Amino acid sequence: MLIIAEKEISKLNNNKVFQWIKSKEMVFKDKDNSKYTFIKYPYSENLDLIYGDYLSYVGIDSKLKYAGVYDKEKDVLFALDYDLRNALELSWDDKLFKDISELEKELISKLNDCIDDYVYCNKEEFYEATIDYEGYIDTNAVETDFVDGYTNYEYNANISKISNEDILKYLDNEEYVFDWSFDYIQKNKKYIGRELKDNNVKNEYLTSIINDKNHPLHKAREIRVALEESNASMVHVYIYKNDLAFDFKYDKLSLMYGVSNSYISTYNMPAPDRREYEKQFGKYTDFNFKNIYKIEYRNKPIYVDNNFFKEKELFSEEYSL
């Protein structure tokens, strides 16, 4: 929770609306014909919901709207709307009080952490809920993840949406995180168990790749790392394909994210290089990381495949190391 320091909140102390918020009065309409009308609704022992509007008419057809939340126990305001901010003489750049998006992000983070902790400490409970399920693996996806830097799969809750009512309940009592998480776990026990078993199978395959230093994907990973560490925007790529050597410029980010695929498109080559590539290898043909033997940036190598030179005598004299 955000507790406002005394020196930060002192600038509001002379504001009539702020004085009213802190008081026990339920309606704000000052004697000087203020432009604003506000009403408190006691949501709970700790929280008041504030409703009101600019130039509000209070009558049979009144439609006062939500304006903010006041925590009486902590003396903190939350999620102020435009009119209440104006009445308090706060700009939108003023970060004294958390808005709805900040509260939502905070609660979602706590919910995900709470669920993750429970699952980590009680895995057997979820395995038993999916006793007849063996686990599924997409080997291509695991291979891509290895190139992208994955070393282990772990369960991570992915709560991404909560209601405004959830936020209010959380503001009223932080223990609501545990109640919400427990309810989610009970409703999704089988789904969580399946994901845990999927992770076990994926980790087994991922570990086999990591431990096999001769696996071709280690080359793709090395290229990915070299590109990540480079400040380049364009790089100079050297390939050997169909017994032909060819070099060209290529967009670094496209190469970095494409190197884990079974093919790398020629689309991100400059047009002259692409036309020359098509003369050499034909139209609608691509290349992959196995064809790459060197990558340069500003005439300096950022990646060199030393084994490639040993296997291809054609380059042994040109690239004596």
Side-chain angles (χ1 to χ4, degrees):
M1 293 294 185
L2 178 63
I3 305 299
I4 307 304
E6 196 65 36
K7 65 179 181 178
E8 294 176 308
I9 208 159
S10 62
K11 67 179 183 179
L12 292 174
N13 284 337
N14 294 325
N15 182 282
K16 291 181 180 180
V17 176
F18 188 66
Q19 291 173 354
W20 166 76
I21 289 171
K22 294 164 67 71
S23 75
K24 294 183 180 180
E25 297 295 322
M26 301 306 292
V27 179
F28 175 83
K29 187 70 176 178
D30 70 21
K31 298 177 182 179
D32 298 326
N33 295 318
S34 169
K35 298 176 181 178
Y36 298 94
T37 298
F38 294 109
I39 296 174
K40 293 178 192 172
Y41 170 75
Y43 174 81
S44 68
E45 184 178 341
N46 296 325
L47 300 183
D48 280 341
L49 298 184
I50 303 171
Y51 295 88
D53 209 343
Y54 177 71
L55 293 178
S56 290
Y57 160 73
V58 179
I60 293 176
D61 56 348
S62 296
K63 294 182 180 179
L64 294 178
K65 64 181 183 179
Y66 166 85
V69 181
Y70 177 58
D71 188 319
K72 293 172 283 189
E73 182 182 33
K74 295 183 172 67
D75 191 21
V76 179
L77 283 164
F78 297 100
L80 310 184
D81 81 336
Y82 180 83
D83 290 319
L84 186 52
R85 276 187 172 275
N86 276 351
L88 293 171
E89 300 177 289
L90 297 172
S91 69
W92 282 105
D93 295 332
D94 198 316
K95 297 299 182 183
L96 280 180
F97 307 111
K98 290 186 178 181
D99 59 28
I100 282 288
S101 63
E102 291 174 301
L103 292 169
E104 182 180 49
K105 183 177 179 181
E106 178 181 298
L107 177 53
I108 285 175
S109 176
K110 289 188 176 183
L111 291 173
N112 283 325
D113 287 344
C114 184
I115 295 167
D116 287 348
D117 289 344
Y118 184 90
V119 172
Y120 180 80
C121 295
N122 299 276
K123 290 183 178 180
E124 288 302 322
E125 177 181 330
F126 301 96
Y127 291 147
E128 290 174 6
T130 54
I131 195 166
D132 296 325
Y133 181 72
E134 297 298 327
Y136 168 79
I137 182 172
D138 179 345
T139 56
N140 290 332
V142 174
E143 290 169 357
T144 296
D145 288 341
F146 167 75
V147 177
D148 290 345
Y150 276 63
T151 57
N152 187 55
Y153 292 96
E154 295 182 0
Y155 173 80
N156 288 296
N158 190 29
I159 306 304
S160 59
K161 188 176 182 179
I162 54 175
S163 69
N164 288 340
E165 183 65 19
D166 289 325
I167 292 174
L168 274 178
K169 289 180 178 179
Y170 165 64
L171 290 176
D172 192 37
N173 183 0
E174 292 188 27
E175 296 296 313
Y176 180 67
V177 169
F178 300 105
D179 295 336
W180 197 101
S181 300
F182 180 79
D183 185 59
Y184 174 86
I185 288 169
Q186 296 309 307
K187 291 178 179 177
N188 293 276
K189 191 168 290 187
K190 287 187 177 180
Y191 173 81
I192 295 171
R194 289 170 67 92
E195 188 168 345
L196 287 172
K197 289 189 174 182
D198 288 346
N199 284 347
N200 290 341
V201 179
K202 290 191 289 186
N203 277 325
E204 184 177 352
Y205 183 55
L206 180 62
T207 300
S208 72
I209 297 174
I210 293 172
N211 292 337
D212 181 4
K213 300 306 179 183
N214 294 319
H215 198 291
L217 285 174
H218 282 272
K219 173 176 178 174
R221 175 64 189 153
E222 289 173 12
I223 294 173
R224 170 70 184 253
V225 171
L227 292 169
E228 282 180 333
E229 294 176 349
S230 171
N231 294 322
S233 56
M234 294 288 290
V235 291
H236 197 159
V237 182
Y238 294 77
I239 66 170
Y240 188 71
K241 174 181 169 71
N242 299 343
D243 295 326
L244 295 172
F246 186 73
D247 61 279
F248 51 90
K249 297 291 181 62
Y250 203 88
D251 178 71
K252 185 196 86 168
L253 288 178
S254 298
L255 184 61
M256 190 173 82
Y257 294 120
V259 74
S260 59
N261 298 329
S262 59
Y263 69 91
I264 303 172
S265 173
T266 61
Y267 178 80
N268 292 293
M269 291 181 190
D273 285 345
R274 186 164 61 252
R275 286 193 293 268
E276 190 61 33
Y277 178 95
E278 290 173 353
K279 289 180 184 177
Q280 290 263 28
F281 305 107
K283 286 188 176 183
Y284 313 116
T285 62
D286 300 298
F287 65 99
N288 60 43
F289 72 89
K290 295 179 182 179
N291 302 127
I292 298 173
Y293 64 86
K294 184 170 68 168
I295 302 173
E296 289 184 347
Y297 174 55
R298 292 181 176 176
N299 297 319
K300 293 183 179 179
I302 60 174
Y303 170 79
V304 177
D305 183 349
N306 296 310
N307 292 326
F308 195 99
F309 304 142
K310 294 176 183 177
E311 297 170 0
K312 305 294 182 183
E313 294 182 0
L314 176 64
F315 299 103
S316 61
E317 294 182 4
E318 182 181 359
Y319 300 100
S320 55
L321 300 178

